[in-house]
Amino acid sequence: MLIDVPKFRESSSLLRYVEPEHRGRNNRPKVGAYRRKEDEDHLSVNSDEVETENQIAATFAAKFHGGSRPVSISGPTVADYNAAAESVGMSVSFDAAKGCWVFGRGGDRSEAYKHRPKSGNRSHCGVEYIRTFDDLSDFKFAVRMARSATYRLV
Amino acid sequence: MLENATETTFSAPQAERENLLVRRAEREKLRAQSLYYFVSPTDLSGALLYGGGAPSENSSAIPAAIAECWHLVKESQLSEEAFTHLVAAAAGRSPQSVRGLLSLEPKSLAAFLHFWGSVRDGSAEPEIGISPKGHVQAEWTKDVEDFLVLEFRPNGEVLFSLWQDGYPTEGVKSPTHLHELCRMFEVMDQNPLSWTDAD
């Protein structure tokens, strides 16, 4: 059952496009697939609560592959992202009052996962806390994410 | 005025030639001392003097960063598969890329190739990748709980993430402390640089 605005349920997947050069052995994404790009202040992902994997693959194909399929997609769950964040020292918790995942401590808390719909890409979301990472934390986070899921060709 | 213009026209190539000779002399000195050999992008033809078979400056087949490190690449004895992958990955990153992927950093590649040259004997060839910033990443995998990832910064620092039985040891090593990392690998039951899950 698809919805217009993702709730980021723990079992939901946040799909990440895997560049052909980041396809590792045994369907494992290389660490570079989850390193933040220069133009990202969030990690770009797509929620399977809003669009099907096939629809998301079509978006990736149009954006990165000149429309040709298949594209490679890795789809860790929100729980995987939370675990990786915790593992590198980032506190992510569910704020029942706001009804969303938040990161940070004390009063300085922000949305951990944000719906960022774009024209022709309505399931686009951001993993927001990566902008607070220094380079080593970003590397450690990328290692965990790359090792938490395989990629598949869709 | 005309005299000045004439002087300028002829003095620049003369200075260039002199610089080239100085650089060649410096390279010879470095080679003699077994230090690393760097071919500048504007002086690739110089590599041919040593029989290196470097690609031409205008070659579109070899990305600039790889051409810059040609002698190191040649001496690295990377497999054809790894070399082909590296070239393809680097070639896919044009300066105009809209995907946020920066060009392969030659200094990062050189740092990796130096490291690889020093540990190659007895090691398995890693999976080589390029980070979005253009830094070389090398991954050795035994299984899901045992793997090693190294990322080579252009300044020679190395980010490392070593996992044994699912537990990580991670950090950054400066170029002068890289030997500590290698020593840590050597005292393990099995050197992670020998790990591979290739068929």
Side-chain angles (χ1 to χ4, degrees):
Chain A
M1 180 67 176
L2 298 175
I3 52 181
D4 289 335
V5 180
K7 296 180 186 303
F8 301 107
R9 290 185 293 265
E10 279 189 284
S11 58
S12 299
S13 289
L14 294 176
L15 284 71
R16 173 85 169 160
Y17 171 69
V18 177
E19 298 278 350
E21 66 167 87
H22 289 146
R23 295 174 189 167
R25 278 198 286 263
N26 301 321
N27 291 343
R28 192 177 50 235
K30 292 182 182 176
V31 171
Y34 280 92
R35 282 288 250 154
R36 181 157 55 113
K37 294 177 181 174
E38 280 296 293
D39 57 354
E40 289 180 317
D41 69 348
H42 57 270
L43 194 72
S44 279
V45 292
N46 285 62
S47 171
D48 70 350
E49 295 178 22
V50 178
E51 289 186 298
T52 64
E53 185 177 79
N54 197 41
Q55 289 172 315
I56 292 168
T59 302
F60 288 160
K63 190 175 177 189
F64 302 115
H65 272 224
S68 69
R69 300 275 286 270
V71 292
S72 39
I73 292 176
S74 174
T77 63
V78 170
D80 291 326
Y81 282 92
N82 286 346
E86 291 287 345
S87 179
V88 300
M90 171 58 63
S91 171
V92 177
S93 57
F94 192 77
D95 186 325
K98 290 181 180 171
C100 65
W101 294 98
V102 293
F103 71 94
R105 296 186 188 282
D108 190 21
R109 292 182 165 225
S110 306
E111 275 183 86
Y113 308 104
K114 195 181 279 184
H115 188 209
R116 292 172 169 270
K118 293 178 176 177
S119 172
N121 191 3
R122 61 193 179 86
S123 63
H124 182 246
C125 298
V127 177
E128 303 294 321
Y129 45 77
I130 63 153
R131 66 171 166 267
T132 68
F133 289 159
D134 60 16
D135 194 48
L136 177 59
S137 296
D138 189 74
F139 170 72
K140 289 157 74 172
F141 180 76
V143 168
R144 284 153 179 77
M145 292 313 305
R147 296 289 169 155
S148 69
T150 56
Y151 72 82
R152 51 193 171 274
L153 296 173
V154 183
Chain B
M1 188 66 185
L2 184 62
E3 218 175 274
N4 284 343
T6 307
E7 262 180 32
T8 305
T9 305
F10 288 103
S11 64
Q14 178 63 33
E16 221 166 78
R17 273 196 295 276
E18 284 171 7
N19 281 339
L20 183 65
L21 289 173
V22 169
R23 287 204 301 275
R24 282 181 182 167
E26 284 170 350
R27 278 202 307 269
E28 285 288 9
K29 195 176 166 188
L30 287 173
R31 277 170 67 83
Q33 294 170 343
S34 298
L35 295 176
Y36 94 85
Y37 177 45
F38 181 78
V39 184
S40 79
T42 54
D43 191 22
L44 277 173
S45 58
L48 292 168
L49 292 174
Y50 307 107
S56 73
E57 195 177 339
N58 296 322
S59 169
S60 58
I62 303 293
I66 295 175
E68 279 191 43
C69 300
W70 187 249
H71 275 76
L72 287 171
V73 172
K74 193 167 172 279
E75 288 166 8
S76 69
Q77 296 174 29
L78 287 176
S79 68
E80 192 178 336
E81 182 191 0
F83 177 71
T84 304
H85 175 80
L86 187 64
V87 169
R93 298 183 172 210
S94 67
Q96 298 82 25
S97 171
V98 293
R99 293 174 299 150
L101 303 173
L102 303 186
S103 299
L104 172 60
E105 282 273 358
K107 286 181 179 174
S108 170
L109 177 61
F112 162 69
L113 292 171
H114 276 294
F115 175 81
W116 178 238
S118 69
V119 301
R120 185 177 55 226
D121 293 341
S123 297
E125 189 174 78
E127 284 188 276
I128 301 170
I130 307 174
S131 78
K133 283 184 179 173
H135 302 173
V136 174
Q137 297 173 322
E139 302 184 30
W140 289 262
T141 304
K142 180 182 173 189
D143 51 45
V144 290
E145 293 198 318
D146 300 273
F147 57 89
L148 168 68
V149 183
L150 302 179
E151 183 174 308
F152 296 82
R153 286 175 171 166
N155 65 3
E157 290 177 340
V158 175
L159 301 176
F160 66 96
S161 181
L162 170 64
W163 291 68
Q164 300 169 84
D165 299 326
Y167 292 96
T169 307
E170 297 172 303
V172 188
K173 285 288 180 193
S174 66
T176 51
H177 290 87
L178 261 185
H179 63 281
E180 293 173 5
L181 204 57
C182 293
R183 199 174 301 140
M184 181 171 80
F185 298 156
E186 284 165 7
V187 299
M188 290 171 59
D189 289 343
Q190 198 181 13
N191 190 325
L193 297 173
S194 69
W195 288 344
T196 180
D197 62 351
D199 293 333

